[in-house]
Amino acid sequence: MKVVLIVCDGLGDRPTRALGGLTPLQAAEAEVLDKVASKGVCGIMDVVAPGQPPGSDTAHLSLFGYDPWKVYSGRGAYEALGVGLNLKPGDVAFRCNFATLGGDGVIVDRRAGRISSEEAKVLSEALKDIRIESVPGVEAMFVPSVEHRGVLILRGEGLSRKVSDIDPHKTGVRPGVPRPLDDSREAERTAKALSEFLEKAWKRLAEHPLNRKRVEEGRPPANAILPRGAGTLPNIPSVGERWGVRAAAIAGGALYKGVARAAGFEVLNVRGATGTVNTDLNAKVEAAISALKDHDLVFLHIKATDTASHDKKPELKKTIIERISRAVSPLVEHVESMGYYLAFTGDHTTPSEVGEHRGDPVPIMIMGPGVRSDDVDRFDEVSCARGGLGRIRGMDLMRILMDYLGRVPLFGE
Ligand code: ZN
Ligand code: ZN
């Protein structure tokens, strides 16, 4: 027995004016999704907790069966795992942006004019041999990922993720100063090491020939990196250890790949899976079908629904849902013909009139042999609330799926 879990990011929504009071899911003509709803069992799900807006990282920890309140240890680690870095226990990882500081030290551009990956790589070379002298036994590594993004890792004994963000998330202000967020010696050491690294890195970047050239050409210099979201590896058993399944993940964005890697999924690289609106959905669906050959649990992540929501475009979100419905058709057929299970849901609600994550539950449906099909035949937030699953918690979903697979041991005798 096998199961495919499809998660559309930020899928849940609220009634929107642009769609005559309907949610994008209600307005969408999503024939394949409705077919799954009518064959399967439906419900709504509080991914982290009722009324709690989840980040995509805590939401996915929940969906993979962990209690995020207990195991979440910052975003940076997932970002690092997601770009393919290997973290050691105790490493502190930060997400970083290349940014432009003006002459007065104020942030002019948080993305350094969306610097290209090639140029970011050249600049990163200059940061390779920076040594931390003020804190003994600590090394710093900066690795660029895509465009202006990168990851900084501090490695050594006695570090902590309890340090403040340097990136203030806005322009026109100075970057933050590294501060310990608790009274521990570890947080203090980490803040000190981070300070020294940044001071040296910004100096080298400011003097770099490539940045001089960018200035001459009237382009913003990438003269700073701004770390945020300090995180350490979560201490969690893999889904393999926990349920005895072989698990594969198909996702575009680094964060999703990172959470999946932390949970012991094998992350498959799919050409065209970019995590953007233009991502090649068909290629991801094909990859999911072929991953089912040698995996028991296949996780397929689709980002575009959340992007449209953040951009406050309900009509685009509706169109994307319709596109997803058509694209998953071969996967739905495959799952049915093989007698496998399919679960389809979102990781949180991102109302497309609000443009931010909110705490409303998301719709969920599960199709497969023996599920108690209910009378819901439309896949949307309102119809699913009448379904047989009722209202479940995100962290219970994996157990529910694994029970269909016969992988959950009896409790008691
Ligand atoms: Zn999300
Ligand atoms: Zn989002």
Side-chain angles (χ1 to χ4, degrees), residues 9-10 55-56 60 256 303 306 347-348 357:
D9 214 280
S56 286
H60 279 80
Y256 312 95
K303 177 72 183 169
D306 193 50
D347 65 337
H348 46 77
H357 300 189

Side-chain angles (χ1 to χ4, degrees), residues 259-294:
V259 180
R261 258 188 90 190
F265 285 73
E266 183 186 338
V267 175
L268 308 177
N269 282 314
V270 179
R271 192 198 290 266
T274 52
T276 66
V277 174
N278 299 318
T279 201
D280 189 344
L281 259 179
N282 299 328
K284 286 164 91 173
V285 166
E286 281 305 315
I289 292 172
S290 85
L292 278 167
K293 284 193 202 109
D294 44 12

